[in-house]
Amino acid sequence: MKSVFPELNARRAACFLLSLLLALFPLTSLSVHAQTPVGVVEPQAEMGVAPDSGFRLERIRVAGGAELLTIFANLDGLRTGESRAPEVPLVSVLRDTMGDDTPENDRLRYLWMLTYAKPSFTQRIAAAVPFFYNRAGNKGRAVGHGAPPVLIDLSATEREVWNKVFWSALQNLLLDAYGFPLKATTRAYHRNMADHRKAHIVRALAVLSLYEAARGGTPLFTRSELHDIQARLMLTDKTLGGIVDDIHLQRVFQKETTLVRDVRGHNWELLRQRAEAESLHFEPLEMPDGSATHAILWAARPDLVARRGHAFDKRFLNIENPWRDDRLLNWQGYTETRYFDAENRPVEPGTEGARQVQLIPLALYGLDHPKIPILLVDFRAGMNPKRREISRRVLEDVTRTVLSLSRFGDLPYFLSRSVYDFVTGRRGMDVNQPSRVRAYSQLKLLLSLNASLDPALRDQIASRLERVSMNPLENDLRAETQVARDQYASLVEYARRPEGLPARLDRDRRAEMMPLKHGRKGQTLLRLANVLSFGLYTHREKATPELAARMELQRRLAYHERYLREVARSPRVEVDWNIEEVRRSLRFIEANSEAASGRMASVVASIFARTEDETAREICLSGLYRINNETAKKELLSIYNNQQVEARWRGRSAEYLRMAVRENQMIAPSDAKTILSVVGQ
């Protein structure tokens, strides 16, 4: 028996070290086939300029038929004195164009948030320390020959879902079984990495939204592409968001955008009303597009004397009573002088009857947070927001990591936690609330872009923001600016090298060809191998002109299918859509019917039912006849059997059904019997 325990302990130690190394230094994907040599094309920059908007879009052509699109921003908030605002690259997207100017075969590949960098060794170690809720310094220069880390693979978002599932299984079934040290270390590291990525996803979303609002000049991004990218970023918060079909992305974008606006409006009114009720001054902080994502509350110095000793209801505000705070009476910190008229409305200096009032900043809030305006900066108690932020994190770390409690496995804990969450939420208590990651990330971007803030106030907010940051992987504003420039230079250099981005693009295309060579069983097995290997194995086909042509055709079919599925949602096609564009897509499906799917047949049938345009209807019937699968013939038979359809169209569908029977097309046995008995040969 004695010989068993040393062996077991050795195995546990080995598993611990291996897991720690995998967490700190994740492996990159391995290639199955040798890289195909790709010729070098020197990148050519083309500018899409939005005049006076502070944003610029740059296009660099990449060898192999792709283009790298990068959004630059003038960081007016970081301007010093009379110097020009620094222009910094923020977001880059790789668009696979197949080397032509036709948007139908384009595919969005990767998105880089250029401030999102690989952490330094010190940051990685600190991120793995349990119950460590502080920054660990800044990353140095992000200079290297490799590509920056991809924030999201827009063409393979389903991989992220499976990675989450398998990481969760690995954590709960294997790593947690090897004792507290490994359990606490891996959970802390994984949580910090996830929050770090989420912060940059929020920032990428904000940059894309601001660029869309301000864009002008050459529209290198279409509105549909921008909304697709933003929807994919929004879905990263959802457990199964990566497997949402492209057809739903526009609805996801609209729904999430509406939700954010509603939350922002609710918090705006809630905070404004509470400020007025407590005789405080409410001031929204706006992004360059005019959207108010944050707000500051101020106290007027005369009110500190006039309201001395008054009661203060801190519900939703979560700060201490300013009317009983001696520190404010002797305030030596930042102040601003404003002017107000007799009705206490802000006016310009020199306005007749205006009175001068000195304002003291009390707190800064985020308006996009669910439930309540979230406290981000308390100018009197710097650690107040951090204590509230870590309350939820500490509770989760103690219950899950130390006590091994679970909402689903422990009923008493589930009930008590649910009651506690309900009470704190209803009372507007800023304790145990969802993370402030979104609000903090947006605030850092606002400080970079908003030139209206006084530099002294901006610097004070920025310094307080860094002190309350609880993620060891975060960098400050100045460091992120340098990181973004370094990573953009590395990305451009990576795009120039034939073994860099062009070779990666070639590998991605060969992986995209896999479904063209294998049936359902083969595809399932190869995808399962990719999932089980955590992405280390990816099957790639050998590129041939035939496969390349088939891949391009599939992309075009997918483009027209998505368009027609959007059209099919309208009750009257020719009223809501350009009927010429609809006909063009229908003709493309008809001309390439041999590659069309059963789902496409259903879409074509839906278009037939929702249009009165005779040309479009004729193309629909012809397309259903040419699409050789059971679904297409079932739809044709359904049109024939529908007594509400005009007789001439039912007659045309009968003709097509007879032709399909004579040509031995694919027809379900039950439908074939019906066709023979009703329509005849």
Side-chain angles (χ1 to χ4, degrees):
M1 290 294 293
K2 292 183 179 179
S3 64
V4 175
F5 291 103
E7 180 182 356
L8 183 59
N9 290 334
R11 287 175 57 194
R12 288 188 174 183
C15 285
F16 173 79
L17 291 174
L18 178 60
S19 302
L20 185 60
L21 287 172
L22 285 173
L24 296 178
F25 305 103
L27 298 175
T28 55
S29 298
L30 300 179
S31 176
V32 179
H33 296 287
Q35 296 178 359
T36 301
V38 182
V40 180
V41 174
E42 186 68 17
Q44 298 176 350
E46 300 179 16
M47 310 299 179
V49 181
D52 302 324
S53 70
F55 290 92
R56 174 173 67 87
L57 188 65
E58 180 179 273
R59 174 167 62 183
I60 295 179
R61 300 189 183 277
V62 180
E67 51 193 22
L68 189 65
L69 306 172
T70 302
I71 297 175
F72 286 75
N74 292 325
L75 303 188
D76 293 325
L78 301 183
R79 182 172 53 194
T80 56
E82 299 299 325
S83 63
R84 293 187 59 187
E87 186 184 60
V88 178
L90 294 178
V91 176
S92 291
V93 177
L94 181 68
R95 178 199 279 153
D96 181 0
T97 64
M98 300 290 290
D100 57 35
D101 296 326
T102 303
E104 296 174 8
N105 60 4
D106 290 353
R107 189 167 193 180
L108 298 173
R109 288 287 184 187
Y110 301 111
L111 183 143
W112 291 271
M113 182 68 199
L114 295 168
T115 56
Y116 178 65
K118 295 176 182 177
S120 67
F121 180 77
T122 302
Q123 288 176 321
R124 289 181 186 274
I125 295 297
V129 177
F131 301 102
F132 182 72
Y133 308 124
N134 286 291
R135 287 185 58 237
N138 291 317
K139 179 180 175 63
R141 297 293 299 269
V143 180
H145 297 289
V150 172
L151 187 64
I152 183 173
D153 185 347
L154 297 167
S155 63
T157 53
E158 69 281 354
R159 293 178 188 169
E160 185 178 337
V161 174
W162 296 115
N163 286 341
K164 288 180 181 178
V165 170
F166 274 85
W167 172 258
S168 179
L170 179 67
Q171 180 71 61
N172 289 281
L173 299 179
L174 179 62
L175 301 181
D176 288 356
Y178 282 91
F180 176 78
L182 181 60
K183 177 182 181 180
T185 299
T186 53
R187 282 189 177 275
Y189 184 82
H190 186 67
R191 173 67 180 269
N192 285 324
M193 288 293 288
D195 285 348
H196 181 55
R197 179 171 178 262
K198 180 180 179 180
H200 289 275
I201 285 175
V202 169
R203 216 168 304 171
L205 267 169
V207 170
L208 289 166
S209 178
L210 292 172
Y211 170 75
E212 182 185 9
R215 67 178 183 162
T218 307
L220 299 181
F221 274 121
T222 66
R223 187 172 296 274
S224 177
E225 283 179 326
L226 281 171
H227 291 177
D228 283 358
I229 295 171
Q230 292 177 76
R232 283 297 179 196
L233 291 170
M234 293 170 178
L235 286 168
T236 56
D237 262 352
K238 313 296 183 184
T239 303
L240 302 178
I243 60 177
V244 172
D245 194 285
D246 289 349
I247 186 63
H248 303 300
L249 293 181
Q250 296 296 316
R251 282 193 295 173
V252 168
F253 172 77
Q254 293 169 3
K255 179 181 177 180
E256 293 296 323
T257 302
T258 301
L259 178 62
V260 168
R261 288 173 181 167
D262 290 345
V263 168
R264 189 179 295 166
H266 166 78
N267 285 335
W268 169 297
E269 278 303 309
L270 193 62
L271 188 61
R272 184 188 62 80
Q273 290 177 12
R274 290 304 309 152
E276 290 181 356
E278 301 301 329
S279 299
L280 301 176
H281 293 262
F282 169 84
E283 180 188 12
L285 300 180
E286 296 182 348
M287 288 284 196
D289 65 347
S291 60
T293 56
H294 298 78
I296 294 183
L297 295 189
W298 305 79
R301 192 179 285 275
D303 291 341
L304 296 175
V305 177
R307 297 181 59 82
R308 183 68 177 169
H310 278 219
F312 180 80
D313 184 357
K314 64 179 182 179
R315 184 181 183 185
F316 301 118
L317 301 182
N318 295 295
I319 56 175
E320 294 303 320
N321 188 346
W323 317 127
R324 296 178 180 175
D325 193 342
D326 293 335
R327 291 173 298 178
L328 291 177
L329 291 175
N330 305 299
W331 185 256
Q332 300 298 317
Y334 179 84
T335 61
E336 279 193 13
T337 300
R338 305 279 180 87
Y339 295 84
F340 297 87
D341 61 15
E343 297 181 2
N344 210 32
R345 294 176 301 191
V347 294
E348 294 295 325
T351 303
E352 184 178 356
R355 57 188 176 88
Q356 179 179 305
V357 178
Q358 192 177 64
L359 299 180
I360 299 173
L362 294 180
L364 188 150
Y365 297 83
L367 301 179
D368 282 3
H369 196 270
K371 297 183 180 180
I372 61 173
I374 206 72
L375 178 67
L376 300 179
V377 176
D378 187 335
F379 290 91
R380 291 176 293 162
M383 296 304 294
N384 179 25
K386 186 163 187 173
R387 287 194 298 269
R388 298 174 183 279
E389 169 71 354
I390 68 175
S391 61
R392 186 183 186 94
R393 179 74 178 269
V394 169
L395 179 62
E396 290 183 351
D397 286 350
V398 169
T399 54
R400 297 186 64 183
T401 306
V402 179
L403 303 178
S404 298
L405 297 178
S406 168
R407 279 177 175 262
F408 304 103
D410 300 273
L411 184 59
Y413 171 69
F414 171 77
L415 294 176
S416 59
R417 180 69 184 273
S418 299
V419 172
Y420 178 67
D421 289 348
F422 176 78
V423 172
T424 55
R426 293 286 290 182
R427 294 296 303 167
M429 298 168 61
D430 187 7
V431 177
N432 192 37
Q433 291 295 323
S435 174
R436 290 165 166 76
V437 168
R438 177 186 179 90
Y440 274 128
S441 185
Q442 286 181 326
L443 180 56
K444 291 182 76 171
L445 185 64
L446 184 145
L447 293 176
S448 300
L449 298 175
N450 191 326
S452 64
L453 286 176
D454 185 277
L457 176 61
R458 182 176 59 248
D459 292 343
Q460 190 170 138
I461 293 173
S463 64
R464 291 175 180 272
L465 194 62
E466 300 307 331
R467 286 201 297 269
V468 301
S469 176
M470 57 183 288
N471 195 328
L473 304 175
E474 286 295 313
N475 302 304
D476 64 27
L477 280 173
R478 301 287 177 181
E480 285 187 344
T481 300
Q482 187 58 54
V483 164
R485 291 195 178 102
D486 290 344
Q487 295 212 123
Y488 179 68
S490 296
L491 183 59
V492 172
E493 193 273 336
Y494 183 68
R496 286 193 177 102
R497 291 189 283 117
E499 72 278 9
L501 195 54
R504 186 172 185 173
L505 177 66
D506 178 71
R507 293 195 299 271
D508 288 339
R509 286 177 180 170
R510 291 191 287 117
E512 187 182 346
M513 294 174 182
M514 184 269 289
L516 305 177
K517 288 277 289 184
H518 300 273
R520 289 187 178 181
K521 286 186 178 180
Q523 293 179 42
T524 302
L525 291 174
L526 292 172
R527 285 171 179 157
L528 184 62
N530 175 264
V531 170
L532 293 176
S533 66
F534 293 93
L536 296 179
Y537 172 83
T538 300
H539 184 77
R540 299 180 177 92
E541 301 297 334
K542 183 178 179 180
T544 63
E546 179 190 359
L547 278 179
R550 289 177 61 189
M551 181 182 69
E552 183 179 11
L553 176 59
Q554 286 298 320
R555 287 192 188 181
R556 289 174 179 264
L557 284 169
Y559 173 89
H560 289 287
E561 178 183 349
R562 177 178 175 180
Y563 173 71
L564 291 176
R565 288 174 70 184
E566 290 282 354
V567 171
R569 289 179 178 162
S570 303
R572 191 69 177 271
V573 171
E574 53 267 35
V575 174
D576 300 325
W577 299 85
N578 183 339
I579 195 62
E580 287 297 331
E581 290 295 321
V582 175
R583 290 173 186 167
R584 190 174 74 85
S585 290
L586 289 172
R587 287 192 179 100
F588 186 87
I589 301 300
E590 179 189 25
N592 298 278
S593 55
E594 69 282 353
S597 63
R599 187 171 67 176
M600 175 52 72
S602 298
V603 174
V604 171
S606 296
I607 299 292
F608 177 88
R610 287 169 171 77
T611 183
E612 296 297 328
D613 183 77
E614 294 196 0
T615 303
R617 280 196 152 191
E618 178 58 43
I619 300 171
C620 287
L621 292 181
S622 176
L624 290 173
Y625 157 67
R626 293 175 181 275
I627 298 174
N628 188 12
N629 59 48
E630 295 180 357
T631 303
K633 302 308 168 290
K634 185 183 289 294
E635 295 290 355
L636 264 179
L637 183 59
S638 178
I639 293 172
Y640 173 79
N641 289 329
N642 189 348
Q643 299 299 321
Q644 296 181 353
V645 176
E646 293 181 46
R648 60 192 179 108
W649 297 116
R650 295 178 62 228
R652 289 290 291 160
S653 62
E655 293 176 15
Y656 283 126
L657 286 170
R658 293 190 192 98
M659 293 166 60
V661 170
R662 287 197 293 267
E663 295 170 4
N664 292 320
Q665 290 192 18
M666 295 178 62
I667 305 174
S670 58
D671 292 337
K673 291 180 181 179
T674 304
I675 293 171
L676 291 174
S677 61
V678 178
V679 180
Q681 290 277 2

